[in-house]
Amino acid sequence: SQKIEQNSEALNIQEGKTATLTCNYTNYSPAYLQWYRQDPGRGPVFLLLIRENEKEKRKERLKVTFDTTLKQSLFHITASQPADSATYLCALRGRSSASKIIFGSGTRLSIRP
Amino acid sequence: NAGVTQTPKFQVLKTGQSMTLQCAQDMNHNSMYWYRQDPGMGLRLIYYSASEGTTDKGEVPNGYNVSRLNKREFSLRLESAAPSQTSVYFCASSGPGTSGIGNNEQFFGPGTRLTVL
């Protein structure tokens, strides 16, 4: 069955370092992959989208890579700040027009000052 | 623009009671969705509406019904609530895509925290 895996353990890193989150998928051929941020008690907020034919996408301090051979996406936050602390969700949509978006369970990131 | 709004924010029901969760968006989006989020399970799609007048089942539709009242509004109804439906419910919308659900970012509402006793 189709599965998306994100590290369920929280990631704790020092302010200023680069945070790297992983999203792995199986039995899936995504047309694109999205990353969302979710703060406690709030709905997810879209951050970045990367398509299957793209290797890397950047937006300010954020960088996403997409390796369809490894079936993996990496999400990087450079020069991390305490305000970056949140849960980050990856989501994939298949190529079929009938395909639905599937979300991972998210990884909680904590940036300590 | 308010974006996506949901009511109520919190609700407690007894087993067997019914209720409707309301969702509205002011972004003129074609597609709207209902998800539930449970600890460790991520967001799971309950129902979606690719356009006004159409609705389709998602991953976990049992126990729920939906109505796409117009382009702005998409409601979720629990006819006979069960403790297994205790969850946080999110409504989302997305802009027009070439086909199917759409290929753009989803905009989420603030969520409804539902407890069924």
Side-chain angles (χ1 to χ4, degrees):
Chain A
S1 62
Q2 297 172 339
K3 190 185 285 188
I4 301 175
E5 292 182 342
Q6 294 186 257
N7 193 342
S8 59
E9 292 183 13
L11 181 63
N12 297 294
I13 68 166
Q14 184 74 41
E15 181 178 8
K17 301 290 187 184
T18 296
T20 298
L21 285 69
T22 304
C23 176
N24 295 302
Y25 59 92
T26 55
N27 297 323
Y28 209 82
S29 296
Y32 62 77
L33 185 149
Q34 299 175 332
W35 283 90
Y36 289 79
R37 168 184 173 141
Q38 187 174 23
D39 292 289
R42 304 179 77 102
V45 175
F46 172 81
L47 296 174
L48 281 168
L49 180 151
I50 185 165
R51 301 189 184 280
E52 59 175 328
N53 60 348
E54 298 175 320
K55 296 292 186 189
E56 184 179 296
K57 208 72 166 294
R58 291 177 184 262
K59 180 183 177 182
E60 297 172 352
R61 294 185 295 112
L62 309 180
K63 184 178 85 170
V64 172
T65 62
F66 195 8
D67 189 326
T68 54
T69 301
L70 292 178
K71 296 187 184 299
Q72 180 181 81
S73 173
L74 298 179
F75 177 80
H76 307 273
I77 305 176
T78 59
S80 60
Q81 305 165 1
D84 295 325
S85 298
T87 295
Y88 291 85
L89 308 170
C90 70
L92 294 91
R93 188 196 168 196
R95 298 193 194 107
S96 163
S97 61
S99 181
K100 305 171 184 59
I101 292 178
I102 301 176
F103 281 83
S105 57
T107 298
R108 188 155 49 92
L109 174 66
S110 293
I111 310 296
R112 59 182 185 273
Chain B
N1 288 348
V4 179
T5 57
Q6 292 182 238
T7 55
K9 284 188 167 47
F10 302 93
Q11 184 72 48
V12 178
L13 293 177
K14 295 181 180 177
T15 297
Q17 286 185 316
S18 63
M19 79 160 296
T20 300
L21 281 65
Q22 306 286 354
C23 174
Q25 52 93 8
D26 62 2
M27 295 170 283
N28 202 34
H29 285 165
N30 287 340
S31 302
M32 297 185 73
Y33 317 82
W34 276 105
Y35 293 91
R36 59 178 289 173
Q37 188 173 39
D38 302 293
M41 302 203 59
L43 287 160
R44 291 184 292 168
L45 184 65
I46 304 170
Y47 270 94
Y48 68 96
S49 171
S51 62
E52 185 180 354
T54 68
T55 61
D56 280 292
K57 295 178 181 179
E59 180 184 357
V60 289
N62 291 345
Y64 306 94
N65 284 301
V66 290
S67 295
R68 183 76 182 266
L69 303 171
N70 47 55
K71 192 169 186 178
R72 289 188 65 249
E73 298 171 290
F74 189 38
S75 62
L76 178 72
R77 182 159 179 85
L78 287 70
E79 290 292 351
S80 180
S84 61
Q85 294 178 305
T86 294
S87 188
V88 181
Y89 291 85
F90 288 100
C91 177
S93 69
S94 66
T98 54
S99 60
I101 294 179
N103 60 359
N104 294 329
E105 65 185 278
Q106 295 193 17
F107 294 81
F108 285 83
T112 294
R113 187 173 294 275
L114 175 66
T115 301
V116 183
L117 303 175

